Amino acid sequence: MTALTLGALGVVFGDIGTSPLYAMQTVFVSEGLRADESHVYGIISLVVWSITIIVSLKYVTFIMRADNGGEGGIMALIALVQGATLNSRAAKAVLVALGIFGAALFYGDGMITPAISVLSAVEGLKVVTPSLESLVVPIALTVLTALFAIQRFGTEAVGRLFGPVMALWFAVLAVAGLGQVVRDPGVLRALSPVYGIEFFLDEGVVAFLALGAVVLAVTGAEALYADMGHFGRPAIRRAWFLFVFPALTLNYLGQGALILDSPTTIESPFFLLLPAWALIPAVVLATAATVIASQAVISGAFSVTRQAVALGFLPRLKIRHTSEAEGQVYVPAINGLLFVAVVGLVIGFGSSTALGSAYGIAVTGTLAIDTILYFVVVRTLWRRPLWLVVTGSALFLLVDLAFFGANIPKITHGGWFPLTLALVVFVLLTTWQRGRELVTAKRAQTDGLLVDFVEEIRTMDPPVFRAPGTAVCLTAAAGTMPLALRENVEHNHVVHEAVVIVSVETRKVPHVPRAERIVVDDLGYRDDGIMHISMRFGFQDEHDVPAALRQAAEQGLEVDIDVDGATYFVSRITIVRGDAPGMSTWRKKLFMAMANTSTNPVDTFCLPEHRIVTVGSYVEF
């Protein structure tokens, strides 16, 4: 229990735990607020109650109940919605599309978080010595380069250090804030929501626009939900309410008290909470904390990519498992794209304050989409009363959309970046999903049915030659004829003594139990040595076909198969653009370009490279 809580503290809360580095600074500097009691108390009240409503209530108390086989995150919500019963297919399609756009926004978060977090930490050097300001960007780029370079080795070894480092970080947050609160206990009045309400009543538009920066205090809320499968709901809740929430509250109170006491500190209130002797150690610790926060988001991007591939929203990508631990994966293509984008953001924006304008729109968009999908699940899967669903969703959406609206004016100041990126990713995901559906249907139409092939083999005169050994043929869809097997019969007039036709199905759950993984079909005859095996994997499972074959052999089959000596027949399909309806020309071209990036199924399904026979053909769609 303690180990899980410490692990959650190290991985889950890195993003939201480093928000005090830049949230208050961005609020006062970018929005031009006054360092007087009404503004400071109003902002502190908004920050604390935003964290309370969005994180403590919405995510930790409610949304984390919506798990998909123990897994969380927006992809899990999409899978739940896909499995829900809705009266309108169009409504389900819209909701799934909304979820895909939320996942696309998450990639923007994965790019901005490392840039803004590391920059804000290294900017502490300016407090130590103003002359070091010119070194901030080069040092930040060096740290980020090292961070992305080590991704290929995985995070398991480093992960053991994450918990203690973040525990020390939250202790520093709490102690630094508490020290200033003790000197100015009057700041505790800002805990009352009355000050936030009065700030809105008195300032109106200024207060509303300030929400665009206040939301930076809740960045990382999605990580609490997305990482639920790694640590479990209880561990995350304990870490949040016992450690993280109190530490964040104390630090924000302390920063507010410091700004009131010395208005010039708005340029860097976090570091100026600390005594001069502690600045260098604090910069080092803050940099370590932001690297951990960045690591969590980068790993999350790898995980979302893996789930997107499994659910059919992306082509097969090269995915490496960096350890025996579930979910420890590395996606080289995503790592490279994230690194290029992060470097561009650091150089292009140059400071954490400037990046704050780009950050908010991605965060608030994801918050609102999570709320909508969650309450769809509450109504359609949990069958809760309509009045309860409408009331709950209206209350949370009011908060989410207020934050989103406050960030709209920032679109021209950097908010365009995550929106543009999300739109591009959304087009890619939906194009691949639709194109895959069309190509799969076309293949099912042209390849023919398995049962017809079996009858054809039985009635051939003279009989086809049955070569010794086992042939494993992968097919695109259950019930359809594998192209490689048909070509082998037509051109070589050969069928192996044991033929195993394999179709791989990715279920809309994270993990499929071992007992439910294998379904065997003798295709109508038990004496011909030809069988079909449907292998069912969850979107978090490794698609290991040989291991599943061994499991099937252990359970007993109509004919003995030699898994270790089997020959694997793989179809290599070239996609050709035709005049078939269902997709515009430009999207067909995009789909074909994406198809060229797809990895070899040998890697995807863990097939032995030295026993592969590849047969090529083409599909026109």
Side-chain angles (χ1 to χ4, degrees), residues 176-220:
L178 182 61
Q180 190 66 37
V181 170
V182 169
R183 286 189 288 271
D184 186 7
V187 76
L188 291 172
R189 295 196 299 268
L191 292 175
S192 170
V194 172
Y195 286 93
I197 296 172
E198 289 181 346
F199 182 47
F200 262 93
L201 294 176
D202 295 339
E203 300 295 341
V205 175
V206 173
F208 177 73
L209 294 178
L211 287 178
V214 169
V215 75
L216 297 178
V218 297
T219 58

Side-chain angles (χ1 to χ4, degrees), residues 342-363:
V342 168
V343 169
L345 286 170
V346 170
I347 296 174
F349 286 86
S351 72
S352 59
T353 301
L355 265 171
S357 298
Y359 206 2
I361 202 78
V363 173

